[in-house]
Amino acid sequence: MSEGARYGFIGLGVMGEPICRNMLTKSGAPFTVHDLNPDPVARLAAKGARAAVSIAEVAAAADTIFLSLPGGPQVEAVIAGPGGLLERGRAGQTVVDTSTAPVGLTRDLAAKLAEKGIRFADAPVARTRQAAEDGTLSIMVGADEALFAEIAPMLRHAASDVTLCGAVGCGQVVKILNNMVLFETVVALSEALALGEAAGVERRHLFETLSKGSADSFALRNHGLKAMIPDLFPTGAFPTDYALKDVSYALDLARETGFEVPGAALAEARMKAAQAAGHGKAYFPVLARVIGRKDGA
């Protein structure tokens, strides 16, 4: 962290607010924050952040600007849209995007920022909302080594694991594949749950026993035992709509690289069935409710 550096944070949603709060309170550095929702802005202002009413105000106040946004369209709008960071930023600034966004878009925006003398790193985050609260996320970074060395200390206030994955875009590649594997695992757990129950095995007994064998996984212990077994899929967690966006990025990456990924395509189909059944806002393991049911209800 550079002496006297000033920081900005745009996007204070489910993950962004706790990420920013951990950075703010642990570093003691000055932060200027902005979100379309005034409530998290007010909460962070109460902890010492300066509230901003626009992207331009953040750009004027900060040397390094972190983003935490829902997806590619929002990242593109904040960076390249009217009044965005390309228009309002200045040479010497750094933009660090903790959102999950398409690899091609990430590299295109990085190139446009570089033309203006603004450095860019993609730093998408993994693990749960609770991990964001606790500051124990995993952050996968795409950047050159010099920039990584500069931003890693601040990222470590929000994460227990901060990993340089390669050049710009590589953080997004690793995050997208992380989610692809997670989604496919949840589909497999859903199928096991449906088959086990149909064959007479009590659902919790099934998953608790699987967790003692080679089928054990983070997905089983968290998404399986904590959501699928009690059949609890709250809103405000990682919803089906967002999961569909992320799996679409994996499928886009497969097309761009010339690979077929039928497991990811199946996960997308299960999520679309859950969405069609009215579960778009529910925590995405709700796809378990549509596994093996002919009516998709």
Side-chain angles (χ1 to χ4, degrees):
M1 186 171 66
S2 301
E3 187 73 25
R6 302 169 301 163
Y7 295 89
F9 208 107
I10 299 171
L12 303 170
V14 170
M15 301 297 275
E17 181 181 359
I19 291 171
C20 183
R21 184 177 62 248
N22 276 310
M23 291 179 174
L24 170 69
T25 58
K26 294 176 183 178
S27 72
F31 269 81
T32 300
V33 302
H34 173 65
D35 192 271
L36 297 176
N37 180 356
D39 294 339
V41 174
R43 287 191 290 268
L44 288 167
K47 293 187 175 295
R50 176 189 167 203
V53 298
S54 67
I55 295 168
E57 190 175 344
V58 176
D63 304 304
T64 297
I65 302 167
F66 292 91
L67 311 180
S68 180
L69 301 163
Q74 293 81 11
V75 172
E76 185 171 23
V78 166
I79 293 177
L85 297 177
L86 266 175
E87 181 181 307
R88 299 291 186 167
R90 61 185 182 277
Q93 285 180 309
T94 299
V95 175
V96 182
D97 182 23
T98 71
S99 321
T100 301
V103 177
L105 174 66
T106 294
R107 288 174 171 160
D108 179 59
L109 292 174
K112 290 178 178 177
L113 287 166
E115 291 175 1
K116 193 166 180 176
I118 300 171
R119 299 180 300 171
F120 179 90
D122 50 299
V125 304
R127 297 181 182 151
T128 62
R129 176 175 56 176
Q130 189 59 52
E133 295 286 345
D134 296 340
T136 57
L137 292 167
S138 173
I139 301 182
M140 296 143 282
V141 183
D144 63 56
E145 291 187 4
L147 180 54
F148 176 74
E150 288 185 31
I151 64 176
M154 185 60 76
L155 293 173
R156 290 191 179 104
H157 290 311
S160 54
D161 295 279
V162 179
T163 307
L164 178 60
C165 297
V168 166
C170 289
Q172 294 293 359
V173 171
V174 176
K175 169 60 190 295
I176 288 165
L177 296 182
N178 174 85
N179 282 15
M180 183 185 79
V181 171
L182 171 64
F183 300 151
E184 292 181 31
T185 304
V186 170
V187 169
L189 290 170
S190 299
E191 293 180 348
L193 186 63
L195 287 171
E197 284 194 299
V201 179
E202 194 275 326
R203 56 198 288 130
R204 179 167 293 278
H205 182 66
L206 172 65
F207 273 18
E208 287 180 347
T209 305
L210 290 179
S211 73
K212 300 172 185 177
S214 55
D216 186 31
S217 67
F218 176 91
L220 192 158
R221 284 177 272 109
N222 288 274
H223 302 78
L225 286 167
K226 295 177 183 178
M228 293 161 67
I229 292 302
D231 197 41
L232 295 173
F233 308 103
T235 59
F238 190 60
T240 300
D241 291 342
Y242 278 23
L244 266 169
K245 169 204 47 124
D246 283 6
V247 79
S248 77
Y249 294 164
L251 292 166
D252 287 345
L253 188 61
R255 285 187 285 269
E256 291 166 9
T257 53
F259 284 88
E260 292 185 1
V261 284
L266 175 60
E268 181 187 49
R270 298 300 195 207
M271 290 178 198
K272 285 183 175 179
Q275 187 183 60
H279 304 312
K281 304 301 180 186
Y283 188 32
F284 85 90
V286 73
L287 63 82
R289 290 184 179 173
V290 301
I291 295 291
R293 300 188 184 187
K294 294 180 180 178
D295 59 4

